[in-house]
Structure formats: C-alpha cells, structure tokens
Amino acid sequence: MDVYPELRSGKRTWPISGLEDGPPYPLERLFLFIDTDIDVSGMYGPVPTGEARFIARRFVPLLIGENPHAVQRMWDKMYRAVVYAPKGLAMMALSKVDLALWDLKGKLFDAPVYELLGGPTRPRIRAYASMLGYSVEPERAAQRSKEMVEQGYTAMKWFCRYGPPHGPEGERKNLALIEAVRDAVGPDVDIMFDAWNSWDVPYTQRMAQRAADYRPWWFEEPVMPDMVHQYAELRRTVSTVAIAGGEHAYTRWGAKSLLDAGAVDILQLDPWWGGGLTELVKVCALASAEGIPMIPHHGAIASTHLVASQPLTTCPIQEWILQAGARDNAFLKHKLDPQDGFIELPKVPGLGMEFDEDVIESREEVQL
C-alpha cells in the first residue's frame, strides 16, 4: 500500500511489547464450534468477523445433518457453493470450517490430526522466527536477530520496508537490513526476506545481485500474487536467492498454476486461507511431485499438523510469527511455543484447540 503516500503510516494493530505473557491489552475473539449429536465438538479460531458471518450464512445450511467424518464431501459441497468466488473471503471462511472439522475428527478418533493425515514424520519441527512487527532499522534488527539466535532459532525472516517508489535510498535501506541481519547471526543461520508484493522484476533482480554476498535463502512475494509470469521470469533469471510465494494462492488449482509456470522455488499456501488441511494435503502432493518444498505461510497449529504429516523434503520447516502467534495463542490452553528453535508435536486429540479458562473474563454465544 506504500505506493500511496497517505497510507504509509497506518496504525499498528498488534502488540509490540509484553509478548511473553500474551498481548498487553484486552482481547476479544470469535471461535467456531461444530457440534455433534454425541456431545463432541470441533473448534477453531480465532475467526475474523467477516468470515464468521460468511460461515453462518453460506456454509451452516450445507453442514447440518452431515456425517462428521466425511470431510472430503463437506469440503466439496462448500467449494461448489462458492465457486463464483474461489479466492479471498469465501475460501478463508471455508478453510476455518475445514480446520474445525479436522479438530472434530481428531477428537472423535482420540488422536492428533497429524496422525490421521499420515504422520508423524518427525518428533519436532524446525521453526523459523518470522519478525513481522519488529523494527527494521538495521541496529535494532541486528540486536533482535542476535536474541533470536540466543533463543535457539537457526532461521529467521525479516520484512523489507521499501520498494521501487522509495528510489535508490529505499534500495540502500533494504540492503542495510540484509547486511545487518547477516552480520548479527553469523554464517550458519538461514535468513529470508519478505518483499510484501511490493517489488518488480528489475528491482528484485538488482536486490538479488546486491544481496548475494549475504546469502539469503529466499525473497518472498517480490511481485503481486497474480503476476505468475513475472514470478517465473524471476525464477529463470535469479540464481543467488530462491523465489518464494503462494500465500495468496488458493486451493490445489492455485498451487498448480504456480507449479505449471515454474514460478516458485518454494510454495507457501496457508492452511488458514488456502482451503484448510483437506486441501493443503493435496497441495503438498502436487509440490512433492515437482520437487518443490511446501513451507506454509504461518497457519500456527494448523501448519504444525500439516508439516508433521509430510516428509521432511516436502515440508522442511514451519513459520512462526512471534507477535501474531502470541496474540492468537492468548485464549488457548495448549499454546504453540517454540523451544530452542523447534516446535514439539502436540499429543492431545484433534488440533489441540482447547480454551485456557484462567485467561477468559467473559464469553457469549454469538448468532450472526
């Protein structure tokens, strides 16, 4: 949005301190429950209000009376109901329903979801620290990067604040961030950089050339997500850094369009947005057939179950956005909390979605 000067200084909407104990302000969130006639419920959340309304109006009538084990059937019914809008809000809402259905299925079988999906493939998952929300001033980013290494992280991702509208000075500032992070973490830590869809092909090519000495693992979303041919051109012409993308692709068809075009070195669909676990397992199969790693965009506990069900070569690492993760963990009893740079697999049934009653001040059932 920075191409519009009036939008460059938007207000922060998440915490910048107090993260060890959760967000430092009162928090209100919606959670989705899917009940059965045998007193077992699936749960997922937080769910944004717009998605919750969409679920209530479009999907609830399709699901009442269904067999709770028939997740493929229910996914297909919901998809056909929104085939006119297979991206964005509709698919994000469908994804939340799918995740609640998998939580329900795991509880019905008394097993973690990754076991139902074919895992576990490992006892713990390497996590990378995603530094969204932290200062990108080089000195502060360097200090924060050192702290992440001290906490055991062996990989981290920073967010480049500048693009072509900021001219040569912005390019120098991006490079200063990359240099500062590499100098802070040393030669053995993987570093990645997210461009926020804000670069173009020549800009990315220059950044890749100038950053080569600092050995970034990948540049993420260098161009707008629908610019598949530009992604493919970058992948053909840039050899010093991998090109990553796909968080704004939806379903197996969105993934296939990127793979068929040879557009990405790393695929990044999000289980919160791209179709839930039912669909992301299919995306992983497509990626593995092409030899392309699938490293999900955030996804929190949903990504943990997906990654744990897949071979290491298909899903080698999981993103952990420190600030957003702490916020979204706030109401949950079984919190994701990487230790020494790894996420231990949850052992509880379902996705591990259960409220921490000690932190909830009040609740109400909402009819939308």
Side-chain angles (χ1 to χ4, degrees), residues 2 159-178 193-212 219-223 230 233-234 237-238 240-241 243:
D2 277 12
F159 295 76
C160 291
R161 188 67 179 84
Y162 306 99
H166 301 95
E169 179 62 21
E171 198 169 317
R172 286 191 291 271
K173 288 181 177 180
N174 284 337
L175 192 65
L177 170 65
I178 295 171
F193 297 90
D194 193 326
W196 280 102
N197 312 291
S198 66
W199 296 354
D200 55 30
V201 170
Y203 192 96
T204 307
Q205 291 168 332
R206 289 197 306 274
M207 286 299 304
Q209 183 177 19
R210 298 185 69 182
F219 283 162
E220 182 169 327
E221 290 202 308
V223 297
Q230 285 85 344
E233 182 179 353
L234 285 171
T237 59
V238 172
T240 56
V241 58
I243 301 300

Side-chain angles (χ1 to χ4, degrees), residues 216-227:
W217 182 1
W218 73 65
F219 283 162
E220 182 169 327
E221 290 202 308
V223 297
M224 291 291 280
D226 287 331
M227 294 180 173

Side-chain angles (χ1 to χ4, degrees), residues 79-152:
Y79 176 75
R80 290 173 182 274
V82 296
V83 71
Y84 60 88
K87 295 183 177 182
L89 177 66
M91 187 52 59
M92 291 175 176
L94 188 157
S95 300
K96 304 306 189 301
V97 176
D98 184 76
L99 294 170
L101 287 169
W102 276 104
D103 183 60
L104 173 58
K105 195 177 184 76
K107 289 172 179 173
L108 291 170
F109 280 105
D110 194 30
V113 166
Y114 59 77
E115 291 187 359
L116 304 183
L117 297 176
T121 58
R122 67 204 89 167
R124 60 179 189 164
I125 297 168
R126 183 186 178 211
Y128 74 82
S130 195
M131 307 305 294
L132 187 61
Y134 291 100
S135 172
V136 295
E137 292 300 319
E139 289 186 6
R140 298 182 70 182
Q143 180 58 41
R144 189 70 71 177
S145 297
K146 291 177 182 177
E147 293 173 8
M148 295 300 102
V149 174
E150 291 169 0
Q151 292 180 26

Side-chain angles (χ1 to χ4, degrees), residues 40 171 173-175 183 191 210 253 278 290 307 315 341:
V40 180
E171 198 169 317
K173 288 181 177 180
N174 284 337
L175 192 65
D183 289 348
I191 58 174
R210 298 185 69 182
W253 297 285
T278 299
E290 298 290 337
V307 173
C315 293

Side-chain angles (χ1 to χ4, degrees), residues 4 20 33 43 87 90 114 217 221 261 280 292 311 360:
Y4 299 99
E20 293 79 7
F33 284 83
M43 166 183 168
K87 295 183 177 182
Y114 59 77
W217 182 1
E221 290 202 308
L280 267 288
I292 298 294
I360 296 175

Side-chain angles (χ1 to χ4, degrees), residues 258-313:
L258 292 171
L259 295 170
D260 286 350
V264 292
D265 296 293
I266 296 165
L267 195 59
Q268 296 177 305
L269 272 75
D270 188 321
W272 282 2
W273 300 346
L277 289 173
T278 299
E279 193 69 356
L280 267 288
V281 168
K282 298 170 184 175
V283 169
C284 287
L286 291 173
S288 67
E290 298 290 337
I292 298 294
M294 222 302 273
I295 303 176
H297 173 258
H298 195 39
I301 192 64
S303 285
T304 298
H305 285 270
L306 177 70
V307 173
S309 74
Q310 299 297 311
L312 186 65
T313 50

